[in-house]
């Protein structure tokens, strides 16, 4: 304790003054203040780290809950598809090819009329009970998501929440997209893992353009790998819906237009001739837009080449249908297809085995057999990496045997 001294003042008043501190005492006070300041800074840092951790944890919880909700809804819709399967009136191998998949044609599921009736012969009571159960699950899941989001946002004020979420979410986005791209180029199991990875992070990154078109691409991958026709249709429809929302905000994204076209094509494989032809216009419109926005992307030229080749080989029924329903039916020649496939090779030599096989087919159709043989040999040099490549390998063998 520092002793105080009473000093007389004016009017008989007195004041208490403190003698000045010695040098050692001043040093001691400064050290104590420095110690207090360091503790305050460390405490502030710990509070900030705790706040960030809570926000990341909240985002992960919301993502998991939303993923569970999405999966619950998808399973419910698939279950309803299995009990109410719609018939497709597509005409098989003569249909227009609008997708980037292996080119599998639409075939009848082989069920008899009696089998179809039996599959739908569940009682009204069972259907009503199932529907009530699904609605109950969806309501509980929605309430859980809302509660978690409300609790997480209450942790900090509005401005701090925006800053913390931006920094924490952007931190992992680049790594997530890189992993999604790697899984997209893998086998069927890896494609499924990539789809689930993106689905789990949808709530956190759905407002990011590069995330959304990759999620749509993953839906296309799942459509390609699925065996059941109704499941294929469901994946394609869900992916198309994702990009319909995305294109409202990112109309200048080449990838959004490209994958929207692909998903439209995949969905049209399960629809009528009229719908497939109508989709052909939409497909070409979005592929042309993708080329306009990103003219150095070989994938868009490859897709346009496939479209041109299939349109140039339309069957009689499809030509008549197009002529009767549309003032200007889709038109394209083998030469148009060849130019697009050659452009792919110019931008990315050896882009795909399937692309080189198509160049060989184009030259064969145009009567240039020597060029056709040359490109068949070039196609044989490339490995089989995808389902489409495997299908092209079989086509290549057939072409050699002729």
């Amino acid at each position: 304790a520092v002793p105080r001294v009473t000093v007389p003042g004016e009017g008989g008043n007195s004041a208490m003054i403190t003698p000045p501190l010695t040098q050692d005492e001043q040093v001691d006070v400064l050290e104590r203040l420095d110690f207090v300041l360091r503790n305050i800074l460390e405490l502030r840092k710990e509070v900030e780290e705790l706040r960030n951790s809570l926000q990341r944890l909240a985002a992960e919880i919301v993502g998991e809950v939303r993923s569970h909700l999405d999966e619950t809804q998808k399973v419910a819709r698939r279950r309803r598809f299995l009990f109410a399967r719609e018939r497709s009136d597509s005409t098989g191998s003569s249909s227009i090819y609008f997708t980037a998949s292996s080119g599998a044609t639409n075939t009848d599921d082989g069920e008899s009329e009696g089998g179809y009736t039996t599959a739908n012969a569940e009682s009204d009571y069972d259907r009503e009970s199932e529907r009530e159960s699904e609605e109950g699950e969806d309501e509980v899941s929605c309430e859980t998501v809302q509660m978690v989001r409300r609790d997480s946002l209450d942790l900090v004020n509005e401005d701090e929440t925006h800053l913390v979420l931006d920094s924490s979410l952007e931190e992992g986005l680049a790594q997530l997209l890189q992993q999604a791209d790697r899984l997209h180029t893998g086998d069927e199991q890896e494609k499924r893992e990539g789809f689930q990875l993106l689905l789990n992070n949808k709530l956190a990154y759905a407002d990011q353009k590069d995330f959304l078109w990759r999620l749509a691409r993953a839906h296309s991958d799942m459509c390609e790998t699925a065996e059941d026709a109704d499941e294929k249709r469901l994946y394609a429809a869900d992916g198309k819906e994702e990009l319909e929302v995305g294109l409202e905000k990112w109309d200048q994204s080449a990838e959004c237009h490209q994958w929207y076209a692909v998903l439209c094509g995949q969905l049209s494989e399960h629809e009528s001739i009229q719908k497939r032809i109508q989709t052909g216009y939409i497909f070409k419109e979005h592929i042309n837009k993708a080329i306009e926005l990103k003219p150095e992307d070989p994938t868009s030229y490859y897709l346009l080449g496939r479209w041109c080749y299939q349109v140039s080989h339309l069957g009689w029924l499809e030509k008549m249908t197009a002529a009767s329903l549309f003032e200007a039916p889709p038109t394209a020649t083998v030469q148009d297809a060849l130019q697009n496939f050659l452009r792919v090779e110019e931008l990315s030599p050896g882009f795909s085995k399937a692309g080189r096989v198509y160049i060989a087919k184009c030259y064969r159709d145009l009567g240039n057999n020597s060029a056709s043989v040359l490109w068949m040999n070039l196609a044989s040099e490339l490995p089989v990496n995808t389902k489409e490549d495997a299908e092209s390998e079989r086509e290549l063998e057939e072409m050699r045997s002729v």
Side-chain angles (χ1 to χ4, degrees), residues 98-100 184 213-214 216-217 220 239 243 247 250-266 282-304 351:
F98 295 122
T99 76
H184 166 68
W213 70 257
R214 283 176 171 84
R217 182 183 67 184
S220 175
L243 280 181
L247 284 171
W250 304 302
D251 183 58
Q252 297 303 304
S253 168
E255 290 82 6
C256 287
H257 284 283
Q258 183 184 97
W259 287 102
Y260 183 77
V262 170
L263 286 159
C264 284
Q266 288 177 319
I282 299 173
F283 178 93
K284 189 170 186 291
E285 175 188 350
H286 285 276
I287 286 298
N288 285 338
K289 184 67 174 179
I291 292 175
E292 176 187 339
L293 294 170
K294 198 172 182 180
E296 302 304 314
D297 185 0
T299 302
S300 294
Y301 291 98
Y302 175 76
L303 293 170
L304 184 57
F351 178 76

Side-chain angles (χ1 to χ4, degrees), residues 10-153:
E10 297 180 359
N13 295 328
S14 60
M16 300 294 293
I17 64 172
T18 302
L21 298 175
T22 66
Q23 185 175 0
D24 291 341
E25 290 173 337
Q26 291 177 2
V27 171
D28 182 62
V29 170
L30 290 174
E31 289 178 351
R32 290 173 181 270
L33 287 174
D34 184 61
F35 176 76
V36 171
L37 288 174
R38 284 200 308 271
N39 285 342
I40 290 174
L41 291 175
E42 290 178 1
L43 180 60
R44 180 180 296 175
K45 183 179 179 181
E46 291 177 0
V47 170
E48 185 66 24
E49 290 177 353
L50 178 60
R51 178 183 296 169
N52 292 340
S53 298
L54 290 173
Q55 284 298 316
R56 285 194 293 270
L57 179 60
E60 290 176 3
I61 292 174
V62 173
E64 292 178 1
V65 173
R66 183 58 184 268
S67 173
H68 174 72
L69 173 60
D70 289 344
E71 282 302 307
T72 300
Q73 292 172 341
K74 289 180 186 296
V75 170
R77 280 186 286 178
R78 287 171 192 158
R79 186 159 60 244
R80 287 197 293 271
F81 269 128
L82 293 177
F83 287 107
R85 188 171 290 191
E86 297 175 5
R87 287 188 176 273
S88 172
D89 55 351
S90 57
T91 57
S93 60
S94 63
S95 62
I96 306 175
Y97 187 100
F98 295 122
T99 76
S101 61
S102 61
T105 57
N106 184 44
T107 57
D108 187 70
D109 56 10
E111 291 181 342
S112 66
E113 190 66 15
Y116 178 80
T117 304
T118 304
N120 285 276
E122 56 175 346
S123 67
D124 293 339
Y125 173 79
D126 291 338
R127 291 186 178 181
E128 188 65 28
S129 300
E130 184 176 307
R131 182 161 55 252
E132 291 175 356
S133 174
E134 292 163 1
E135 291 173 353
E137 291 175 359
D138 292 348
E139 290 175 0
V140 172
S141 300
C142 288
E143 291 175 359
T144 305
V145 170
Q146 293 170 357
M147 181 183 66
V148 173
R149 293 182 67 181
R150 184 167 55 251
D151 291 345
S152 65
L153 294 178

